[in-house]
Amino acid sequence: MIRYTKNPDLNRVLVTGGAGYVGAVLVPKLLALGYQVTVLDLYLYGDDVLKEARGNPGLREVKGDIRDEGVVKLAMEGCDAVIHLACISNDPSFELNPDLGRSINLDAFVPLVRAAKAVGAKRFIYASSSSVYGIKDGVEVTEDLSLEPLTDYSKFKAECEALLEQERAPGFTTVTIRPATVCGYSPRQRLDVVVNILTNLGYHKGEISVFGGSQLRPNIHIEDMTDAYLLLLQAPDKDVDGKVYNAGYENHSVMQLAEMVQRNVGEGAKLQVKPTNDLRSYHVSSRKIKDELGFEATHSIEEAVVDLIKAFKEGKLPDSLDDPRYFNIKMMQKVNLQ
């Protein structure tokens, strides 16, 4: 069991996208370890996402766009490390406005990295995606396999990995993580990713629609995902510099995920299997991060389902079928993000 501690060489951490799905769980953990934290975010999904952390004197919030050079410069002040989460995430959101996706996910990247170097930041952690591998049927997907991204979203993720490696320099440690699909409860909830979708529909509609079912979909509980970032911050430079890591839990089939939801929602929820042309399957290996850094996911995907059901029962996610704030595309359309 890893004991997470503050890296004594890193004091202030900038989290871009810190009021997003993952950031809203990560930021309080960073503060609890004693880091000073700056959040740079547009706060599209509400200004109250980090309200529980606002009493902490170590928290500094900058509301703004990572494409704005002046805002980035302001947010970078005094930062020793950057965890770059901000992006237009997942393919459907990206396809809604490809130019917007490119401007945020690719064009803003190198200026952000160079702004970090300019203030003397010592470490830059980049959230890439396991989608960079493309389709790798029948093989265990390890970090040394070729990248064959299929969409602009994943192509730009792969491109930024290469750009970050070019910017790596003595005293400027860079590390890339390729997460599986994150699931579970967050103060900035997403209900447009597979486990969360199935749980929302199963709980509220009594229907769990499975398209295909045999495809493997790697997922990771949000508590494990945020712990992985803590570890990438605390690890010595020599252990992570220039490294790339996958981060996931077990690889479940879509049908197994649906059955997990049904088990916890109750037998009254009906499973409906529908045909699909999308039988892409991913079997992502997280052995490298375990062997090299000792990191292993400890929260099951079933725990994520249970946590969401608990949040629904406690009224933490009102109007969860229709409120745009739970669905990236709907919110981007609502605010007409450009």
Side-chain angles (χ1 to χ4, degrees):
M1 194 74 174
I2 295 170
R3 182 170 166 264
Y4 295 100
T5 57
K6 181 180 174 296
N7 185 326
D9 296 328
L10 305 175
N11 186 40
R12 180 165 287 280
V13 181
L14 171 63
V15 184
T16 71
Y21 179 43
V22 172
V25 176
L26 174 61
V27 166
K29 288 186 176 186
L30 291 169
L31 290 166
L33 286 179
Y35 289 104
Q36 307 279 303
V37 180
T38 299
V39 169
L40 172 57
D41 202 292
L42 282 170
Y43 291 84
L44 284 187
Y45 300 90
D47 287 327
D48 60 347
V49 169
L50 294 171
K51 65 181 179 187
E52 301 296 326
R54 286 209 171 114
N56 191 309
L59 178 65
R60 176 174 172 247
E61 296 179 84
V62 178
K63 188 173 183 176
D65 196 313
I66 62 163
R67 295 170 293 179
D68 183 325
E69 195 180 315
V71 166
V72 168
K73 191 174 178 183
L74 178 69
M76 280 290 179
E77 285 176 9
C79 287
D80 305 303
V82 178
I83 301 176
H84 181 38
L85 305 179
C87 70
I88 302 295
S89 63
N90 77 8
D91 295 330
S93 301
F94 195 102
E95 285 156 13
L96 180 69
N97 185 339
D99 290 340
L100 172 73
R102 182 188 180 95
S103 70
I104 291 176
N105 291 15
L106 180 62
D107 297 345
F109 184 73
V110 170
L112 183 77
V113 176
R114 289 181 178 166
K117 290 167 91 170
V119 297
K122 300 170 189 164
R123 188 166 301 192
F124 194 102
I125 299 168
Y126 176 50
S128 183
S129 165
S130 58
S131 69
V132 295
Y133 295 110
I135 297 174
K136 296 278 195 284
D137 277 335
V139 296
E140 195 170 31
V141 178
T142 56
E143 291 84 348
D144 53 2
L145 289 189
S146 61
L147 304 189
E148 297 169 2
L150 298 169
T151 63
D152 280 350
Y153 167 74
S154 48
K155 283 174 190 166
F156 293 158
K157 285 288 187 186
E159 216 171 310
C160 287
E161 290 188 19
L163 291 167
L164 184 60
E165 174 59 25
Q166 289 171 20
E167 293 294 327
R168 185 162 69 94
F172 186 68
T173 296
T174 68
V175 57
T176 291
I177 193 154
R178 295 173 181 158
T181 302
V182 183
C183 58
Y185 174 74
S186 165
R188 197 261 109 170
Q189 190 61 51
R190 282 187 66 182
L191 293 172
D192 55 1
V193 286
V194 62
V195 171
N196 300 1
I197 291 170
L198 294 172
T199 308
N200 191 25
L201 294 176
Y203 182 81
H204 288 105
K205 288 190 135 181
E207 287 172 19
I208 305 165
S209 293
V210 177
F211 293 88
S214 62
Q215 316 95 301
L216 289 176
R217 286 290 186 266
N219 291 273
I220 185 168
H221 194 294
I222 196 163
E223 292 294 334
D224 286 318
M225 190 64 244
T226 46
D227 285 349
Y229 289 115
L230 302 182
L231 183 59
L232 294 180
L233 269 184
Q234 81 181 48
D237 291 339
K238 64 180 175 54
D239 291 354
V240 294
D241 191 21
K243 296 288 185 70
V244 176
Y245 294 107
N246 293 337
Y249 185 67
E250 295 163 354
N251 293 270
H252 295 100
S253 71
V254 175
M255 183 58 79
Q256 286 174 317
L257 296 174
E259 288 167 348
M260 215 179 272
V261 171
Q262 186 182 41
R263 198 160 51 238
N264 288 282
V265 168
E267 293 303 320
K270 292 189 210 58
L271 265 180
Q272 295 181 317
V273 182
K274 301 177 179 179
T276 180
N277 296 325
D278 183 6
L279 290 171
R280 286 177 299 164
S281 218
Y282 312 90
H283 189 281
V284 173
S285 167
S286 300
R287 181 170 297 280
K288 181 181 174 185
I289 196 169
K290 181 186 177 187
D291 290 349
E292 293 190 5
L293 300 180
F295 178 82
E296 193 167 18
T298 58
H299 297 271
S300 70
I301 304 310
E302 194 141 1
E303 273 180 68
V305 172
V306 170
D307 292 345
L308 278 173
I309 291 171
K310 182 170 180 276
F312 291 140
K313 285 179 175 169
E314 291 175 356
K316 289 182 178 175
L317 302 169
D319 195 18
S320 67
L321 292 171
D322 299 308
D323 192 324
R325 69 185 155 146
Y326 306 124
F327 306 92
N328 286 4
I329 284 186
K330 288 182 183 177
M331 184 56 89
M332 285 165 58
Q333 286 172 319
K334 182 181 175 183
V335 301
N336 193 26
L337 183 63
Q338 297 295 323

